Amino acid sequence: MTKRVRKAVLPVAGLGTRVLPGAKTTPKNLLNVVDRPILSYVVEEARAAGIEHFVFIVGRGQGAIEDYFDANPEVEGALEAKGKADILAEVRKDLAKPGEMSFVRQMAPLGLGHAVWCARHIVGDEPFAVMLPDMLMAAEPPALAQAIAAHEKTGGNIVVVEPAPEGEAHKYGIVALEGQEGRLNRMTGMVEKPAPGTEPSNLFISGRYILRPEIFDLLERQGKGAGGEIQLTDAMAELMKVQDFHALEYEGTTYDCGDKIGLLRANVAFALRRPDLADAARSAIEALL
Ligand code: G1P
């Protein structure tokens, strides 16, 4: 019987280079999709999957992330005074429950592997989730719940993957599979940002992982990899020598909100999914075409 996945690590310290200048003063994961920040959707996905504790790995100047999940008596008081109960409920939905969130400073941008390693003391000795929050996943059941179900089935490490757009596999972490049958398949390898033409498959690591805690010892020793950064993919490839890894092709749609067009697509798609906005959104979009 494996331990339940209770904690999620969310590395949010990235600069958001592809969505600058907007991400200069607003951390990229606080940029809005319709009327909520990207992070709000990701936290909702995690809570729906049973996550009880969030570990945000933040950089300097990202205090707004902590503030977002904290009470704001001025805003809440004003909404209360004006009788705007519906907006108040939306604002309060995202507040952290007492003790539910930890914030760890990553003092230098040394890579995703280093960011995850920064969570080791808070995660401790239990399997945990990693969520790359700029990858917004619309799915039912939620993407992380699908990953946790796969972990409960195999007892091992799970990496959520999906087909890369034509010609773009070299921009991501790419997995190699033992065989491909159904959505959950044993992995035989993975490589971070393979040179074009050398990709072992077209399936890229898309931003949800369930990892066993032994990854932390490997991350501690992990040298620099692609882009001169300490890569999570390299430590996972090392752990795969002694532990089971499965790739899960989840059922749903991913929006890469760290990218201009991805963020635009997410805004359009999420507005069209909202019963209160769908009609108005559709007319507004059609009028632009
Ligand atoms: C990171 C991971 C990579 C993954 C990608 C998904 O890369 O290292 O394996 O495919 O996220 O967005 P980054 O986008 O930080 O270069």
Side-chain angles (χ1 to χ4, degrees):
M1 185 64 197
T2 72
K3 289 186 190 163
R4 204 162 75 72
V5 177
R6 303 182 305 149
K7 299 177 185 174
V9 177
L10 289 82
V12 290
L15 287 179
T17 320
R18 291 175 294 158
V19 284
L20 281 171
K24 191 170 112 184
T25 48
T26 301
K28 72 169 167 179
N29 293 301
L30 287 186
L31 295 175
N32 262 12
V33 168
V34 190
D35 53 1
R36 321 188 69 84
I38 295 161
L39 265 184
S40 163
Y41 296 93
V42 179
V43 165
E44 186 178 37
E45 174 192 335
R47 284 180 175 150
I51 294 299
E52 294 168 2
H53 194 88
F54 294 85
V55 188
F56 291 92
I57 312 299
V58 296
R60 268 183 300 286
Q62 294 192 324
I65 294 177
E66 204 166 338
D67 291 342
Y68 179 75
F69 292 103
D70 193 2
N72 184 325
E74 202 166 53
V75 170
E76 291 170 44
L79 291 171
E80 219 153 42
K82 289 183 183 159
K84 299 207 181 278
D86 47 346
I87 305 179
L88 184 60
E90 287 300 317
V91 167
R92 287 190 170 150
K93 201 168 88 178
D94 281 342
L95 298 186
K97 300 184 187 85
E100 188 193 29
M101 294 183 175
S102 301
F103 296 83
V104 179
R105 278 283 181 106
Q106 184 188 20
M107 290 194 269
L110 298 177
L112 177 60
H114 179 262
V116 171
W117 179 69
C118 289
R120 67 199 179 284
H121 293 302
I122 301 177
V123 171
D125 188 27
E126 55 185 274
F128 64 101
V130 174
M131 306 177 81
L132 306 187
D134 44 2
M135 301 303 256
L136 209 53
M137 296 186 178
E140 200 41 59
L144 192 65
Q146 295 182 36
I148 290 176
H151 168 73
E152 284 167 355
K153 195 165 158 192
T154 66
N157 301 276
I158 303 291
V159 177
V160 171
V161 299
E162 62 190 271
E166 188 67 33
E168 296 200 0
H170 65 280
K171 295 183 182 168
Y172 297 101
I174 301 293
V175 303
L177 304 180
E178 194 174 79
Q180 209 167 346
E181 207 186 301
R183 295 184 168 271
L184 185 61
N185 290 287
R186 189 183 297 273
M187 287 167 55
T188 54
M190 65 189 112
V191 52
E192 184 65 27
K193 310 213 169 50
T198 69
E199 302 91 346
S201 77
N202 76 330
L203 293 174
F204 81 97
I205 298 173
S206 65
R208 303 290 182 270
Y209 314 67
I210 307 295
L211 297 174
R212 299 189 51 88
E214 291 77 18
I215 193 76
F216 290 124
D217 288 340
L218 295 167
L219 285 171
E220 181 146 3
R221 297 196 294 270
Q222 188 61 54
K224 289 179 183 168
E229 297 188 344
I230 299 173
Q231 295 290 354
L232 180 59
T233 305
D234 294 342
M236 291 194 297
E238 211 41 47
L239 185 58
M240 200 166 53
K241 293 177 182 164
V242 291
Q243 281 188 10
D244 209 53
F245 269 81
H246 280 78
L248 171 70
E249 259 192 84
Y250 88 110
E251 284 182 78
T253 311
T254 303
Y255 301 91
D256 180 358
C257 294
D259 171 78
K260 295 179 229 319
I261 298 299
L263 186 59
L264 176 65
R265 281 180 66 234
N267 269 287
V268 172
F270 280 74
L272 290 174
R273 279 156 44 109
R274 284 261 300 257
D276 60 329
L277 291 177
D279 288 345
R282 191 176 299 279
S283 319
I285 294 160
E286 278 169 5
L288 288 172
L289 297 174

